[in-house]
Amino acid sequence: MAENKIFAGPKVRRIRNTLGLTQTAMAEGLSISPSYLNLIERNQRPLTVQLLLRLASVYKVDLDELQGESAGNARQLREVFADPLLAGELPGDQELLEIADAAPNVASGILKLYRAYREQAARLTDLADMLAREGRATMLAGTLLPMDEVRDKLENRPNYFGAIDEAAERFQAALAPGDELAAALKGWLRKQHGVVVRLLPVHAMPTLRRRFDRHSMRLFLSERLSPFDQLREIAMETVQLALQDEIFAELDLLAFSTAEAKRIARFELARYAAHALMMPYEAFHAAAQRVRYDIDMLRSRFGVSYEQAANRLTMLQRPGRAGVPFFMLEIDNAGHRFRRAGAQGFPQARFGGDCPKLGVHAAFAQPGQILVDRVEMPDGAAFLAVSRTLEGPQGAFAERVRRTALLIGCDAAHADETVYAEAVRRDAAVPVGTACRLCERQGCLARAEPPVTRPLGLDEMVAGLSLFDFQ
């Protein structure tokens, strides 16, 4: 029967050097010639099963170490060199295998350095975020992608555009749609611009929610959309024609650095204008105060979705006619932030929104249910937080659709103006933080990361409630 062969010369040489033996002494112990051992150490001869057994018997060598160490190091080195910083440096895996096999300690050193580099990069990112939240600009601002630039500008300013809101209110009054806004908008598009709205099945438009065909002058909408989202798409097409001057005027004031950022922002402003058209300011503000900002009552009154009504609540900042200054945060069940906005800008520094104890994360376990919490930050600031899952586009049976949840909140000082204050006690608050990396609460059972502001306090004699104890 053929013998299994293993080439592990550098490991044999390392074992010999560790034991302080010459090649002659080790060869004598293994009952082979010094020249044959020299060939083995240079990987020109294999380690046979008999030699492996002699190594284990004479020198107490761990056979698993001889066979498995380099494979593990090579796999981890492959992950290191897959980093974009090092991509393309190696034409193949052969060099990685040679390093892992011939110099395992060097390989371990590279892995440690890479882990330290990644951790330091994460800490620098967190520190840059902290500086940005304190209003201190960093050099990273000049490298923002267009979408990031749009989000930064819109999230850090009040979610109110007065000129657009007033123009949408005037347009809606002139249209006089009554209770049939969708029909009125379709009629206006057809009469004024020759645009016809059509609903298409999924197989005809599998990857789009809407498409405007300039040649046939038809606006196609996907049947995946709920009636509320269909109405918003029709309203967005309408405002881009009827309120074009107001939208472009606001774009100029925002002063984006690239044409792509301006294009993305134009879409966001069209969404804003569509909400203003579907829920005119004065009527919506009066209704909101009358029902104490009950989102379900508002969605029923205006024939919109929960998300649309909640979004509109963050826009009530007309001078002399302002509502409760709400802010909102939308995430998916993996914790990715999808949208942030606020009547006075999203309160990133005070509220954060990344704490795993917020109800918006628990909402995914109770779809469609409204969760109300009074939350308290480490500095004592308190907020009312209302969370609920959103439906989103309709998916087919085999599709795995991303679902999101929305948190709408306000300072606890305004809580009594809302119907949701009845669901929480003043003396009971959920202790949360802005984010694990920035929170210094001791003994937090929900902590997912150590704070960047404190050194880890690892102690083999003591184990805290959190995996990331700190000093």
Side-chain angles (χ1 to χ4, degrees):
M1 180 180 295
E3 294 182 339
N4 294 322
K5 299 178 181 180
I6 297 174
F7 288 90
K11 295 177 185 176
V12 173
R13 182 167 56 250
R14 189 169 67 255
I15 292 169
R16 179 174 61 79
N17 290 333
T18 300
L19 295 173
L21 300 174
T22 63
Q23 284 187 340
T24 301
M26 175 172 264
E28 183 178 346
L30 296 174
S31 300
I32 59 176
S33 68
S35 60
Y36 185 61
L37 178 60
N38 182 268
L39 292 173
I40 289 174
E41 290 189 358
R42 287 189 289 149
N43 267 351
Q44 294 182 10
R45 291 291 185 276
L47 272 174
T48 62
V49 172
Q50 287 83 354
L51 278 177
L52 284 171
L53 293 175
R54 287 179 199 162
L55 279 168
S57 174
V58 176
Y59 299 113
K60 310 302 180 186
V61 173
D62 186 351
L63 297 184
D64 290 336
E65 178 185 350
L66 281 174
Q67 300 180 69
E69 181 180 8
S70 63
N73 278 347
R75 184 179 63 255
Q76 294 180 68
L77 284 173
R78 195 175 296 114
E79 295 174 4
V80 170
F81 281 87
D83 189 285
L85 184 66
L86 301 174
E89 292 292 331
L90 297 177
D93 293 341
Q94 186 58 39
E95 288 186 48
L96 297 181
L97 292 171
E98 291 175 359
I99 292 174
D101 193 37
N105 291 333
V106 173
S108 297
I110 292 173
L111 294 174
K112 288 180 181 178
L113 281 173
Y114 181 71
R115 283 194 291 267
Y117 153 73
R118 290 297 300 270
E119 182 174 350
Q120 191 67 14
R123 288 177 177 271
L124 288 173
T125 299
D126 290 329
L127 289 172
D129 288 343
M130 290 176 65
L131 291 173
R133 291 170 192 175
E134 294 175 4
R136 303 178 187 179
T138 67
M139 293 303 292
L140 294 175
T143 63
L144 288 178
L145 295 173
M147 175 60 79
D148 295 328
E149 182 185 2
V150 172
R151 284 180 173 173
D152 279 357
K153 282 203 175 184
L154 295 184
E155 290 173 5
N156 291 304
R157 70 175 305 283
N159 191 26
Y160 176 71
F161 297 90
I164 293 177
D165 237 308
E166 293 168 8
E169 198 167 22
R170 290 193 301 269
F171 179 82
Q172 211 261 10
L175 192 64
D179 294 330
E180 298 294 335
L181 179 59
L185 293 178
K186 289 179 183 179
W188 184 87
L189 286 170
R190 185 186 303 110
K191 181 179 180 180
Q192 299 295 326
H193 297 276
V195 176
V196 178
V197 180
R198 289 286 183 267
L199 193 66
L200 290 187
V202 173
H203 68 81
M205 201 163 63
T207 60
L208 302 175
R209 60 187 295 130
R210 68 188 289 266
R211 181 172 69 85
F212 179 63
D213 188 335
R214 296 182 182 275
H215 299 290
S216 63
M217 296 300 287
R218 287 184 295 180
L219 174 65
F220 297 114
L221 302 179
S222 172
E223 66 178 0
R224 291 177 182 270
L225 302 180
S226 69
F228 310 117
D229 288 337
Q230 291 175 27
L231 173 59
R232 178 163 58 190
E233 296 298 334
I234 297 170
M236 287 180 65
E237 191 65 34
T238 301
V239 297
Q240 291 185 81
L241 296 170
L243 308 182
Q244 188 179 80
D245 292 342
E246 289 80 4
I247 290 175
F248 275 94
E250 291 290 357
L251 277 175
D252 291 339
L253 291 175
L254 289 170
F256 289 102
S257 62
T258 65
E260 177 65 8
K262 191 172 183 179
R263 186 189 68 81
I264 296 170
R266 180 167 60 84
F267 178 85
E268 294 297 327
L269 291 182
R271 180 193 293 268
Y272 178 98
H275 287 154
L277 178 58
M278 295 159 63
M279 296 164 276
Y281 193 98
E282 286 297 331
F284 189 81
H285 178 262
Q289 289 189 321
R290 187 164 55 251
V291 300
R292 297 180 61 203
Y293 300 94
D294 188 323
I295 300 173
D296 281 324
M297 295 297 291
L298 289 169
R299 67 183 292 196
S300 177
R301 166 67 181 81
F302 289 90
V304 297
S305 69
Y306 181 93
E307 178 266 329
Q308 292 165 358
N311 198 336
R312 186 61 170 149
L313 284 179
T314 68
M315 306 174 186
L316 300 182
Q317 288 299 293
R318 179 173 289 179
R321 295 287 290 166
V324 168
F326 285 104
F327 58 87
M328 72 172 190
L329 166 71
E330 186 178 351
I331 67 167
D332 65 13
N333 56 3
H336 301 120
R337 292 191 297 270
F338 185 61
R339 183 179 295 114
R340 293 184 297 190
Q344 299 171 351
F346 185 78
Q348 179 68 25
R350 298 177 61 218
F351 184 75
D354 291 330
C355 182
K357 290 190 287 187
L358 289 172
V360 69
H361 300 285
F364 290 102
Q366 304 176 61
Q369 299 297 309
I370 293 179
L371 306 182
V372 184
D373 293 307
R374 178 186 172 92
V375 299
E376 185 174 297
M377 311 304 292
D379 63 0
F383 296 89
L384 177 73
V386 181
S387 303
R388 183 190 185 276
T389 54
L390 304 178
E391 287 74 23
Q394 180 60 49
F397 171 72
E399 291 180 305
R400 187 167 294 179
V401 182
R402 183 177 81 160
R403 296 304 185 194
T404 62
L406 185 76
L407 179 150
I408 182 167
C410 66
D411 194 287
H414 299 281
D416 288 340
E417 299 177 50
T418 76
V419 69
Y420 303 107
E422 302 168 5
V424 295
R425 292 168 43 195
R426 287 180 174 274
D427 59 345
V430 179
V432 301
T434 53
C436 289
R437 282 281 190 171
L438 305 175
C439 179
E440 297 184 357
R441 287 191 185 278
Q442 292 278 4
C444 177
L445 293 173
R447 180 173 290 283
E449 294 180 296
V452 71
T453 54
R454 295 295 185 98
L456 286 176
L458 301 179
D459 186 340
E460 69 258 13
M461 306 300 292
V462 178
L465 293 175
S466 167
L467 293 175
F468 306 102
D469 293 328
F470 55 91
Q471 297 176 356

